[in-house]
Amino acid sequence: MERLTVEPIGIIHSDHQDPKRTPIQPVCAAGSRGYVEVFPQYAEGLDDIEGFSHLHLIYWLHRMPEMIKSIPGTSPLKVVPFLEDVPRGVFATRTPVRPNPIGLSIVRLVERRGCELSVDDLDVLDDTPLLDIKPYVEGFDLRVGTRGGWTAKVTTETFLSRGERRPDAD
């Protein structure tokens, strides 16, 4: 198979500087505002985006080497997820330590200003390269009656205490 080449279409800006203090999922990042800077050559692709309340951001986890060093018990295919202390297969987790460091977040669109999208519920490190944007569409994306695997055993208290990891929390 040939190698793939991807080009960023923009940059994600946030207050999150430290991977250890960045919320682990958008649901843990309520009130974490930031903005998505889309490069001018892709501006026309933002037409009609204002009609959507939420967006999928697909991005490159550019600080992966630094993050791997900071997460104990990691290997290419087995990781200790943030919510547990048990090694799991990487594809059964949402860890940033992945064979291809691609991230996915669903954020709330606050407003569009030209090539800039103001967003909330942002769980992404500052200056992250943006690969793509897709609208969240409830009729396409929402699934009910799903199984959560090992995460179903994680309590809400554990999820919130391990997941929020706010820059301003001590």
Side-chain angles (χ1 to χ4, degrees):
M1 210 180 244
E2 291 183 40
R3 291 184 67 85
L4 303 174
T5 302
V6 295
E7 295 286 332
I9 64 163
I11 301 172
I12 301 170
H13 300 279
S14 76
D15 289 335
H16 303 302
Q17 303 293 326
D18 179 359
K20 294 178 185 176
R21 305 295 286 174
T22 300
I24 66 168
Q25 293 294 314
V27 72
C28 294
S32 290
R33 289 247 176 137
Y35 69 97
V36 176
E37 171 191 353
V38 176
F39 297 145
Q41 64 267 37
Y42 300 105
E44 188 176 1
L46 293 173
D47 288 352
D48 308 308
I49 205 163
E50 299 92 337
F52 295 92
S53 65
H54 290 75
L55 305 171
H56 293 275
L57 300 182
I58 302 165
Y59 47 91
W60 193 257
L61 297 164
H62 66 298
R63 291 176 59 185
M64 184 53 54
E66 169 190 341
M67 293 167 81
I68 289 172
K69 291 177 193 170
S70 72
I71 303 173
T74 59
S75 73
L77 298 176
K78 288 290 252 189
V79 297
V80 176
F82 295 116
L83 299 177
E84 272 197 334
D85 300 319
V86 177
R88 301 284 182 180
V90 70
F91 303 125
T93 74
R94 292 196 176 187
T95 180
V97 180
R98 315 194 69 75
N100 290 306
I102 296 171
L104 170 69
S105 293
I106 298 173
V107 298
R108 185 170 59 85
L109 177 61
V110 177
E111 74 173 313
R112 174 186 175 191
R113 293 181 306 270
C115 291
E116 188 176 291
L117 304 174
S118 177
V119 297
D120 199 353
D121 308 335
L122 189 58
D123 67 331
V124 181
L125 288 169
D126 190 42
D127 291 331
T128 294
L130 177 68
L131 302 179
D132 202 358
I133 302 169
K134 294 180 185 255
Y136 178 91
V137 179
E138 188 173 305
F140 300 166
D141 297 320
L142 181 66
R143 298 291 183 261
V144 294
T146 62
R147 294 188 319 269
W150 63 267
T151 66
K153 296 176 186 169
V154 176
T155 67
T156 301
E157 181 180 285
T158 298
F159 176 72
L160 292 175
S161 69
R162 290 190 177 195
E164 285 188 341
R165 301 167 8 136
R166 300 293 179 133
D168 55 355
D170 287 319

